[in-house]
Every structure is written in C-alpha cells, then in structure tokens.
Amino acid sequence: MSGDIVMATNLNPKEGGGSSSIKCQMLNSTNYTVWALRMKIALKVHKVWEAIEDEATEGEKNNMAMALLLQSIPEALILQVGELDTSKKVWEAIKTRHTGAERVKEARLQTLMSEFDRLKMKDTEPVDDFGG
C-alpha cells in the first residue's frame, strides 16, 4: 500500500460534511512518470492545478499546490526547490531534474538494443564462445 494514493474521508466543520483528503505518493529516483500523473490528478482534485498552469505567485491555490508538492518529494529535493516562490517553478524544477535522467536511460536502452540486434553468431564460432 505504500506509494499509493489513499483516499480518506474526514469531517470538515467549515463545509458541514465530509471532505476528502489525498495522501500523495512519494517521489523517488525511478517513479517520476507515475508520480507526475498522480500528482497532477491530486492537484486537480484539490482545485489547485491552475496555480501550476498559470504560475500563480500568491494566494491559497499556490500555497496548497506548494504544500502538496513538498509533502510528496524527498527532503534532499525539498532543500533544492524550497526557495522557489511558485508551485509552477517547483513543478518545473522537479520535471527538469527527472526527465533528463529519463532521456539518458532511454538513449542507453536504444544503444543496447541496437548492439543486441547486431549480435550474430559466426558460422565457424562455437556456441560456448558466442554465449560468452
């Protein structure tokens, strides 16, 4: 269950009824794509995605978006993005940091796949030598 988005129902006296809160998935070095999709939905549920799209610099929407983002990233990353003043800047900094790593992985995978495709056993080569 860890890493999943969990819906919890709480009573909210301001609204006179139940409201939902969402526990956000923690970002790590391997789950950026899934994390970004889940965070986008969580931000939309909390009606603060516009703060990221429009780069709101003040107000409750920016603060709520910042709070949701900062609760779902590791402390080391918080220290890197904590001084940024808008949720959009935080979102973009996280995206830039992780999509660069994804591109490197993707390029390495393509290189390995092309090397694998070129790999052929010679007619005179023993199976054990080729396997090695």
Side-chain angles (χ1 to χ4, degrees):
M1 183 147 168
S2 71
D4 290 339
I5 295 178
V6 178
M7 184 71 83
T9 303
N10 300 325
L11 286 179
N12 187 342
K14 285 184 181 178
E15 296 175 9
S19 73
S20 61
S21 66
I22 295 177
K23 183 178 184 223
C24 301
Q25 177 182 19
M26 184 61 69
L27 176 65
N28 62 41
S29 61
T30 61
N31 72 343
Y32 172 76
T33 304
V34 172
W35 174 88
L37 291 170
R38 287 181 170 170
M39 282 305 299
K40 185 174 182 179
I41 296 302
L43 292 163
K44 284 182 177 185
V45 165
H46 285 282
K47 297 178 177 36
V48 294
W49 177 247
E50 304 84 46
I52 290 174
E53 286 183 322
D54 302 335
E55 194 167 6
T57 56
E58 296 178 8
E60 282 189 41
K61 287 188 178 196
N62 184 58
N63 293 339
M64 175 62 89
M66 288 282 280
L68 289 168
L69 288 170
L70 293 179
Q71 83 169 9
S72 66
I73 60 175
E75 285 184 16
L77 189 51
I78 290 173
L79 295 174
Q80 293 174 14
V81 301
E83 294 299 316
L84 299 174
D85 59 345
T86 68
S87 54
K88 180 176 182 133
K89 288 178 183 175
V90 171
W91 181 267
E92 292 298 324
I94 294 168
K95 180 179 178 182
T96 300
R97 176 185 170 112
H98 286 85
T99 54
E102 288 295 317
R103 284 192 203 124
V104 169
K105 286 182 201 173
E106 191 100 9
R108 179 72 178 135
L109 178 62
Q110 287 177 353
T111 301
L112 290 171
M113 287 183 70
S114 65
E115 285 177 14
F116 180 75
D117 288 341
R118 284 183 275 144
L119 190 62
K120 291 189 179 180
M121 189 171 109
K122 296 176 185 129
D123 291 336
T124 59
E125 190 174 20
V127 172
D128 289 339
D129 289 349
F130 177 73

